């Protein structure tokens, strides 16, 4: 990677954007690359991701050759924290716990047989007083005397025909409701889909038509009687009218079966035309100001620029990163009206290459996760179909975004659990894409060889201890204030030593850094700082002489105070010197330079530019030095981000291994990150890598936590306490033996015990509301499958999601 002339200088200042020189805009924008594991030719999106449940959905990101305008128009409805919003489709309503198929079939059969028996008794006159309701509402001369007397006249016979049809309809309706025929139809017919549904409905329609015209079902005669009573009997003298009435009856009997069998939708699908929506509203065509038409530019009056970008999108010359970058650039320009015209002119001149990232890159070399750059989400997995997960979250994608990372994230899991490959790298990749869109800055810290991304995916790559590294790290965070530099450096050097007060250590460092900077114009290098902390007479004498020659009397008093305190009880200088000695090794020769020619990379640049920075630590042979540097970078990041005034950029620090990096001061700094549009992602092998006194403060400071499979019960207990409890409904069943008093009943019980081998019992069910842990320590240690993690999310606005069991596919 081109270092913009900084090779050999090892870095850049905070006021200058490090990274490669900006090349001329390419003539053809790069398309969004496919995931690392390329799909096989001809595979559909569903085939490429067979583990994802649910119906087929649009691809999570534009694939090579896919139109960006379709991706841009895909809906992204607001959802709960962590829901993968791209093309989200809500699940169907949760169905209550239903009866078994056996009980359903038996109940339907009993209901049908009971209805047939009742109808047979009715037709054969075995039911007393069956005609009394009818006689109450009809003239008495129509009927023979007595409660069971039949019709005397033709009018009475017609009234009885209609009366029986009404009773038959009520009986059929009651039979269907009691027998739960609708659930039987849905479970065994409708759920099988087409064409079985249409064929079953057609068969039922044919059988019903046969029974109707055989007059086994009272339909034809009651209709004829009603028509004759309304229009007169003379209407049947016309054969055409009779045929029309028969056709209407046949159509009326057929219509409900056509609705149940969805014949219209099936025919439309066979013809290749879409059926109208159930509510009768047709799908609205894309409006003139849809997302791919750049409505924000058109509203502001820049129609030509909007047309240019629309053409770029339609012809495939823009990627999803270009769209996100230009949308963000336009949003920033609207806050400064003087920037609107230059941005619009740049769009007219270069199209999708306008407002490029300082590196000149328009996309990452390759992607290993699924991203939605428009919302900043990265999909890391899907929620498992587990009773611990709410029904609405089961099977849905889980994604991380800046609104969640702004509360910071703590991931705990043993080696091999997948923290780096399935969580850390997707997060770094998503933040790098967001940096290319001008919306974020990311600092990824890991051991040498950690799979955090290729070198060409970063603007600055710092390889500490590697001779070929083009950049270096500023131990003092780019500040010119000795007190501020001393406070951060003390936290990095001895913040993990519980017996030392970091404030006293900061005072000791300030007593040396201030005089040295006043005498030389810069802070001391590592060897010089070590000599000063060791109290080397030559180093102190030289510094005193320089201060006396320059007339810095106040700094001389600081140096005299250090000389008086040196060697006293509780003096932190020896401990500081021992820690600085870890960096004063041959492997780090030439690093951490502070002279006038040195230009190390400063973390202050993260708050000013959308940079992508990766720091490789020399873990092999220098484990303690790596931990010291990790602790120092975390302390610098929390201090620098808290002090910045412009919080437009989202700044995020990602530590692939935060072992012994967390201190009491950094925990307080992490808690302040969410208010300055920043966040930190910390990965630990176990919570015991943090001092025991900081376990509770750390879990309370971060809003997002992830417990990977394989953690111990001790770690699980801490997560269970942090996630709290919830009210659940429990059912307790107690079986009590039934003692019979009657001889016949005792005989039946004895026979049942002889056949089943068990005594006759009755169940006593107790339902209670109890408060239980969302996930117990044992469940976290033993019930989380491999490749899964239990993740709890929260946003900077205060929204939160319960701990979810997630299958990680990041």
């Amino acid at each position: 990677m081109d270092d913009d002339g900084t090779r050999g200088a090892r870095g850049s200042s905070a006021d200058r954007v490090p990274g490669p020189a900006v090349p001329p805009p390419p003539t053809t924008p790069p398309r969004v690359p496919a995931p690392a594991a390329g799909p096989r030719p001809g595979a559909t999106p569903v085939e490429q991701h067979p583990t994802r449940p649910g119906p087929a959905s649009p691809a999570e990101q534009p694939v090579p050759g896919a139109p960006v305008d379709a991706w841009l128009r895909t809906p992204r409805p607001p959802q709960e924290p962590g829901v993968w919003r791209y093309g989200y489709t809500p699940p169907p309503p949760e169905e209550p716990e239903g009866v078994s198929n056996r009980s359903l079939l038996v109940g339907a059969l009993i209901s049908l047989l009971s209805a047939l028996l009742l109808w047979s008794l009715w037709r054969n006159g075995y039911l007393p007083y069956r005609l009394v309701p009818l006689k109450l509402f009809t003239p008495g001369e129509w009927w023979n005397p007595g409660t069971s007397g039949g019709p005397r006249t033709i009018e009475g016979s017609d009234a009885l025909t209609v009366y029986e049809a009404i009773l038959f309809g009520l009986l059929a309706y009651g039979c269907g409701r009691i027998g739960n025929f609708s659930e039987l139809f849905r479970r065994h017919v409708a759920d099988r889909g087409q064409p079985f549904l249409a064929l079953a409905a057609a068969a039922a329609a044919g059988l019903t038509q046969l029974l109707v015209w055989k007059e086994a079902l009272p339909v034809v005669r009651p209709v004829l009687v009603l028509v004759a009573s309304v229009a007169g009997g003379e209407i049947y003298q016309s054969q055409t009218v009779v045929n029309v009435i028969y056709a209407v009856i046949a159509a009326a009997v057929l219509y409900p079966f056509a609705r149940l069998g969805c014949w219209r939708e099936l025919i439309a699908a066979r013809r290749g035309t879409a059926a109208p929506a159930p509510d009768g509203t047709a799908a609205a065509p894309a409006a003139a100001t849809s997302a791919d038409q750049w409505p924000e530019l058109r509203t502001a009056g820049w129609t030509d620029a909007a047309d240019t970008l629309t053409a770029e999108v339609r012809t495939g010359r823009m990627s999803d990163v270009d769209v996100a970058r230009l949308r963000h650039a336009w949003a920033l320009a609207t806050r400064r009206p003087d920037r609107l015209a230059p941005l619009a002119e740049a769009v007219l001149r270069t199209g999708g290459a306008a407002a490029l990232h300082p590196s000149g890159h328009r996309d990452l070399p390759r992607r290993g996760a699924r991203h939605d750059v428009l919302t900043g989400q990265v999909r890391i997995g899907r929620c498992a179909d587990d009773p611990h997960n709410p029904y609405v979250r089961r099977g849905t994608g889980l994604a991380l975004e800046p609104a969640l990372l702004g509360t910071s994230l703590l991931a705990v899991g043993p080696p091999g659990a997948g923290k780096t490959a399935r969580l850390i790298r997707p997060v770094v990749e998503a933040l790098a894409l967001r940096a290319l869109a001008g919306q974020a800055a990311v600092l990824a810290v890991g051991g040498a060889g950690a799979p955090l991304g290729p070198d060409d995916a970063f603007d600055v790559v710092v390889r500490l201890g590697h001779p070929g590294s083009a950049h270096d790290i500023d131990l003092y965070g780019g500040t010119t204030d000795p007190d501020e530099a001393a406070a951060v450096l003390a936290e990095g050097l001895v913040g993990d030593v519980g017996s030392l007060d970091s404030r006293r250590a900061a005072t000791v460092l300030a007593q040396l850094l201030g005089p040295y900077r006043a005498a030389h114009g810069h802070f001391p290098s590592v060897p010089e700082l070590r000599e000063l902390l060791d109290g080397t007479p030559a180093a102190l004498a030289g510094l005193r002489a320089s201060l006396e020659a320059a007339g810095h009397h106040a700094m001389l008093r600081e140096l005299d105070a250090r000389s008086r305190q040196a060697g006293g009880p509780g003096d932190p200088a020896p401990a500081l010197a021992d820690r600085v000695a870890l960096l004063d090794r041959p492997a780090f020769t030439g690093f951490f330079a502070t002279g006038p020619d040195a230009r190390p990379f400063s973390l202050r640049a993260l708050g000013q530019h959308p940079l992508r920075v990766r720091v490789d630590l020399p873990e092999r042979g220098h484990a303690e030095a790596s931990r010291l540097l990790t602790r120092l970078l975390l302390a610098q990041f929390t201090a620098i981000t808290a002090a910045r005034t412009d919080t437009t950029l989202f700044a995020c620090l990602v530590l692939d291994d935060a072992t012994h990096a967390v201190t009491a001061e950094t925990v307080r700094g992490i808690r302040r990150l969410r208010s300055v549009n920043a966040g930190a992602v910390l990965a630990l092998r176990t919570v015991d890598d943090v001092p025991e006194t900081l376990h509770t403060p750390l879990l309370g400071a971060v809003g997002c936590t992830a417990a990977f499979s394989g953690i111990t019960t001790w770690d699980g207990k801490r997560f269970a306490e942090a996630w709290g409890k919830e009210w659940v409904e429990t059912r307790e069943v107690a079986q009590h033996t039934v003692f019979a008093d009657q001889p016949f009943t005792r005989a039946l019980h004895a026979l049942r015990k002889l056949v089943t081998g068990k005594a006759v019992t009755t169940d006593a069910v107790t339902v209670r509301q109890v408060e239980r842990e969302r996930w117990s320590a044992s469940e976290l240690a033993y019930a989380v499958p491999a490749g899964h993690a239990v993740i709890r999310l929260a946003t900077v606005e205060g929204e939160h999601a319960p701990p979810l069991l997630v299958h990680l596919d990041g």
Side-chain angles (χ1 to χ4, degrees):
M1 165 173 122
D2 190 6
D3 56 6
D4 196 16
T6 61
R7 186 173 297 277
R10 294 190 187 277
S12 174
S13 63
D15 299 329
R16 182 170 167 277
V17 183
V22 179
T27 56
T28 304
R31 295 189 182 275
V32 178
R40 62 182 185 276
T44 63
V46 177
E47 293 170 346
Q48 296 170 18
H49 306 285
T51 61
R52 187 175 57 199
S57 61
E60 279 82 357
Q61 62 184 19
V63 296
V68 178
D69 55 346
W71 166 82
L72 192 57
R73 291 195 305 267
T74 302
R76 297 165 174 84
Q79 294 297 323
E80 297 179 359
V83 175
W84 176 251
R85 294 166 50 192
Y86 180 81
Y88 174 79
T89 302
E94 184 177 8
E95 298 179 359
E97 185 177 356
V99 296
S100 63
N101 290 333
R102 178 179 179 181
S103 300
L104 192 64
L105 291 172
V106 170
L109 181 60
I110 293 175
S111 175
L112 179 61
L113 294 177
S114 301
L116 291 176
L117 176 62
L118 188 61
W119 183 247
S120 176
L121 295 176
W122 168 272
R123 294 295 301 268
N124 291 288
Y126 289 107
L127 297 180
Y129 311 109
R130 62 190 187 94
L131 299 180
V132 172
L134 181 60
K135 292 181 178 182
L136 292 176
F137 295 96
T138 54
E141 59 269 14
W142 290 4
W143 309 97
N144 293 319
T147 57
S148 60
R152 178 187 297 176
T153 62
I154 296 177
E155 291 81 358
S157 298
D158 294 341
L160 181 59
T161 301
V162 176
Y163 179 59
E164 289 181 344
I166 295 175
L167 291 180
F168 180 81
L170 295 176
L171 181 62
Y173 176 78
C175 173
R177 290 299 299 269
I178 296 175
N180 206 359
F181 278 86
S182 59
E183 176 65 17
L184 185 66
F185 174 80
R186 185 197 62 80
R187 188 179 300 184
H188 295 282
V189 180
D191 286 352
R192 296 192 178 186
Q194 300 287 11
F196 181 82
L197 176 61
L199 293 176
L207 178 61
T208 304
Q209 290 280 9
L210 178 63
L211 296 176
V212 166
W213 296 111
K214 290 292 185 179
E215 297 191 0
L217 301 179
V219 176
V220 177
R221 287 178 57 83
V223 171
L224 296 177
V225 169
L226 290 175
V227 171
S229 63
V230 174
E234 296 80 2
I235 192 173
Y236 295 120
Q237 295 179 0
S238 173
Q239 186 62 36
T240 302
V241 174
V242 174
N243 293 338
V244 169
I245 294 175
Y246 286 165
V248 170
I249 295 175
V253 173
L254 194 63
Y255 177 74
F257 294 98
R259 288 292 302 273
L260 289 175
C262 301
W263 294 353
R264 184 180 179 184
E265 290 80 359
L266 180 62
I267 294 174
R270 296 293 184 182
R271 292 180 178 178
T273 59
D279 57 357
T281 58
T289 56
S290 58
D292 62 322
Q293 296 284 333
W294 300 87
E296 58 271 18
L297 273 70
R298 298 183 186 277
T299 303
W302 300 97
T303 307
D304 294 340
D307 292 338
T308 300
L309 293 180
T310 300
E312 293 267 309
V313 170
R314 295 290 175 83
T315 56
R317 294 197 297 268
M318 287 183 66
S319 67
D320 54 348
V321 179
D322 294 329
V323 173
R325 186 187 68 251
L326 289 173
R327 279 176 167 245
H328 178 68
W330 185 263
L332 292 180
T334 53
R335 304 174 188 174
R336 298 279 299 274
D338 57 315
R339 297 183 181 180
L340 290 176
L343 178 60
E345 293 175 0
V347 169
L348 291 174
R349 185 174 62 257
T350 60
L356 272 180
H357 185 264
S359 66
H361 297 162
R362 298 173 65 176
D363 204 348
L364 296 179
R366 58 182 177 272
R367 302 184 187 181
R370 283 165 281 180
H371 302 270
D372 183 20
V373 186
L374 205 60
T375 59
Q377 287 190 316
V378 54
R379 189 179 187 274
I380 63 171
R382 60 177 175 82
C383 298
D385 187 6
D386 187 86
H388 286 92
N389 293 343
Y391 171 77
V392 295
R393 299 300 297 269
R394 298 175 190 173
T396 62
L398 188 83
L400 296 176
E401 57 184 307
L404 299 171
L405 299 178
T407 64
S408 298
L409 186 149
L410 176 66
V412 179
K419 298 189 301 298
T420 300
R422 299 183 179 184
L423 180 64
I424 299 299
R425 175 160 181 171
V427 168
V428 173
E429 197 172 87
L431 293 172
L433 287 172
R434 202 160 180 84
L436 290 178
Q439 304 176 47
V442 56
L443 172 62
V445 182
L452 299 180
D455 292 352
D456 48 359
F458 296 91
D459 303 310
V460 176
V461 177
V462 181
R463 296 184 177 91
L464 292 175
H466 193 283
S469 178
H471 299 279
D472 195 0
I473 287 294
D474 187 355
L475 289 180
Y476 304 99
T479 183
T480 58
D481 184 1
D483 292 329
E484 182 181 352
V488 176
L489 185 58
E491 196 65 33
L493 291 176
V494 294
D496 61 328
V497 181
S499 59
L500 284 180
D501 186 358
S502 60
R503 291 175 296 182
R504 292 194 60 188
T507 302
V508 171
L509 288 172
Q511 290 172 344
L512 296 174
L513 297 181
Y516 191 95
R517 179 171 179 80
H520 301 282
H522 58 82
F523 291 120
S525 63
V526 169
E528 294 168 335
L529 180 60
R530 180 182 180 184
E531 291 180 353
L532 293 174
L533 290 171
D534 282 334
T536 306
L540 293 176
L543 179 58
R544 183 182 300 276
S546 300
L547 292 174
E548 290 175 350
H552 294 292
H553 301 289
M555 293 303 171
L556 281 173
R557 289 194 298 270
E558 287 285 304
L559 192 59
D560 291 339
R562 173 85 287 269
S563 300
R564 290 192 303 271
Q565 297 171 3
D571 182 18
L576 290 170
D578 291 342
R579 289 300 177 91
V580 173
L582 296 174
L583 304 180
D584 189 18
R585 305 296 301 164
F588 300 116
T589 301
F591 286 85
F592 315 120
T594 58
D597 297 331
R599 299 173 62 189
F601 171 74
S602 172
L603 265 64
R604 292 186 181 275
L606 291 174
Q608 304 173 11
H609 309 289
L611 292 177
R612 302 166 295 165
V613 184
R614 194 189 77 207
V615 178
D616 293 344
L617 300 175
E619 289 187 344
R620 294 184 178 179
H622 301 279
E624 285 298 325
S626 297
R627 294 172 181 174
L628 186 153
L629 292 170
T630 302
R631 189 164 54 250
L632 178 62
L633 291 174
L634 178 58
Q636 287 185 0
F637 180 82
T638 56
I640 290 172
T641 52
R644 62 177 181 162
T645 57
D646 184 7
T647 59
T648 304
L649 283 176
F650 175 74
C652 188
L653 170 66
V654 181
L655 298 182
D656 185 49
D657 184 6
T659 302
H660 300 297
V662 179
T663 64
E665 183 61 32
T666 54
V667 168
R668 287 189 288 268
I670 290 173
R671 191 177 289 114
R672 294 191 298 263
L673 290 179
R674 66 178 67 190
S675 62
V676 293
N677 195 24
V681 179
L682 312 177
L684 294 171
R685 295 182 177 90
T686 174
V687 182
D688 289 331
D689 290 338
V690 177
E692 185 176 359
T693 56
L694 297 179
H695 290 174
T696 300
L698 177 61
L699 289 173
V702 297
C704 303
T705 49
F708 283 71
S709 60
I711 65 173
T712 63
T713 52
W714 291 274
D715 288 343
K717 179 181 179 181
R718 298 182 181 97
F719 280 108
E721 292 175 351
W723 291 339
K725 301 180 179 180
E726 63 179 345
W727 289 98
V728 297
E729 183 180 277
T730 61
R731 295 170 59 90
E732 298 179 357
V733 180
Q735 292 185 340
H736 303 282
T737 303
V738 178
F739 298 96
D741 296 331
Q742 302 297 326
F744 182 71
T745 307
R746 287 200 299 268
L748 290 178
H749 287 185
L751 178 61
R752 179 175 175 178
K753 185 176 181 180
L754 180 64
V755 173
T756 62
K758 297 179 181 180
V760 179
T761 60
T762 182
D763 294 340
V765 181
T766 304
V767 180
R768 295 189 303 171
Q769 291 284 338
V770 298
E771 192 176 23
R772 288 184 178 176
E773 294 175 330
R774 299 177 184 272
W775 281 83
S776 67
S778 298
E779 289 175 330
L780 289 172
Y782 303 111
V784 179
H788 290 66
V790 181
I791 301 177
R792 186 253 185 188
L793 301 175
T795 66
V796 292
E797 290 84 9
E799 299 182 63
H800 59 86
L804 302 171
L805 179 62
V806 181
H807 175 247
L808 301 170
D809 54 11

